[in-house]
Amino acid sequence: MSHGVPDADADPFRERSGPAFSVRKQLLGGDFRFDSASAALLQVVEAAYAGLPPHRLPVAAPEFRIELRLLPRQALPRRTEPPPVRMQSGAGLICGVMDASNYVVLAPAQRQALVVASEDMLDQPYHLRYELVEFAVFTLATRELGLVPLHGACMGRQGRGVLLLGASGAGKSTLALHSLLHGLDFLAEDAVFVQPESLLATGVANYLHVQADALRHVDDRTARDWLERSPRIRRRSGVEKFEADLRQSPGQLAATPLALAGAVFVSAEAADDADALLSPLRTGDVAARLRTDQPYASTQPGWDRFEQQLIRRGVHELRRGRHPRDAVAALHALLAGSH
């Protein structure tokens, strides 16, 4: 350091403090490179994406670069959770900001993002992973690959998949859990990304979030042990859930993107006939229901084509049976083409 000039004065924007470590992951049809001078932040990346099936789409995989930067611990009162992310955009950039030391800046046109986190966020791995790192991954992939980003789950078999849609609390995660335990391939629990032309769906099958009451229908000892030893997280809604690592589950993850055979709206209501849980929605009602269920996705490029394609495949309502495995049997039948 010449003339005794502090680093902060010589390089105020930290442009010359390059990352020391790098890892690559194949995610959502893209080739992601994560760079950081912090081994701890790259460990968060490994916890999120190590061991996942490398999904590829029938297009050349673009390369994305995400730099992760660690700032010193904040001298603030300890919070039970970090402040919520506030979104902003402009000048070709997209931002998600928790506070002055925890934020994401994305440049989609350059396929790049900067994730900045303070050391105390390492004590909040759930929020760091989902609200900062995955925010960057999901947004970059969606914009560059033209994917439709859906809030929902997706299960499948033999290369075919079915979307699970519906309001929070309807039972999507519980149905996804039992689908996993009864032979269906797990693609995603909370975020599904669909190519509108091909209806190929991809996702990140790293964690499953279920409430403790979902265990009452889990009879398999191995599956119960897997869930019960999982850490618990608290959603911003206040709901506490198990965060079960799907890579350690007794089930099967979808090895490739799944071609959607249709979608179901999961209902919390019990079926009138316990042997007929699935009922097709009227074609004229489907578009409005899809748009109400997916307010963000329905404003994105590619939505109209996705909606047309999905309606052709078929959209159903799935009501509750006597046991979650009854709903899983209905999904099996739908995927087999007989319902």
Side-chain angles (χ1 to χ4, degrees), residues 125-239:
Y126 169 76
H127 293 288
L128 173 56
R129 191 168 61 241
Y130 283 95
E131 298 182 354
L132 296 179
V133 178
E134 290 208 339
F135 172 72
V137 169
F138 289 173
T139 305
L140 288 177
T142 298
R143 299 298 174 97
E144 178 64 23
L145 290 163
L147 304 176
V148 176
L150 300 165
H151 176 58
C154 185
M155 310 299 297
R157 63 189 293 265
Q158 298 179 346
R160 286 160 56 84
V162 60
L163 276 175
L164 308 182
L165 305 174
S168 296
K172 296 189 297 296
S173 295
T174 299
L175 177 55
L177 166 64
H178 287 276
S179 298
L180 174 76
L181 300 180
H182 290 88
L184 291 182
D185 295 340
F186 198 106
L187 183 115
E189 176 218 4
D190 194 50
V192 182
F193 302 87
V194 181
Q195 223 180 24
E197 289 298 329
S198 64
L199 280 197
L200 280 175
T202 184
V204 175
N206 48 11
Y207 295 97
L208 172 67
H209 300 91
V210 291
Q211 295 185 56
D213 63 1
L215 271 67
R216 70 180 187 273
H217 293 300
V218 178
D219 303 319
D220 182 79
R221 185 69 254 174
T222 300
R224 287 187 67 89
D225 288 345
W226 165 60
L227 291 167
E228 289 174 341
R229 68 172 179 261
S230 301
R232 294 182 182 235
I233 57 94
R234 185 178 297 275
R235 298 276 202 186
R236 289 200 180 272
S237 63
V239 174

Side-chain angles (χ1 to χ4, degrees), residues 79-84 98-99 102 121 124 127-128 131 236:
R79 297 174 178 265
T80 55
E81 64 179 17
M98 284 182 176
D99 56 35
N102 297 279
M121 277 299 292
Q124 302 273 0
H127 293 288
L128 173 56
E131 298 182 354
R236 289 200 180 272

Side-chain angles (χ1 to χ4, degrees), residues 263-303:
V264 299
F265 280 94
V266 179
S267 172
E269 296 181 7
D272 296 330
D273 181 351
D275 296 318
L277 307 187
L278 273 177
S279 56
L281 294 178
R282 288 179 42 186
T283 302
D285 298 334
V286 173
R289 189 157 179 182
L290 284 171
R291 290 171 186 247
T292 299
D293 188 69
Q294 303 291 329
Y296 174 71
S298 62
T299 66
Q300 300 305 298
W303 173 266

Side-chain angles (χ1 to χ4, degrees), residues 2-21:
S2 61
H3 308 296
V5 180
D7 285 346
D9 290 339
D11 186 18
F13 300 106
R14 298 186 66 177
E15 295 172 283
R16 295 190 292 277
S17 54
F21 310 106

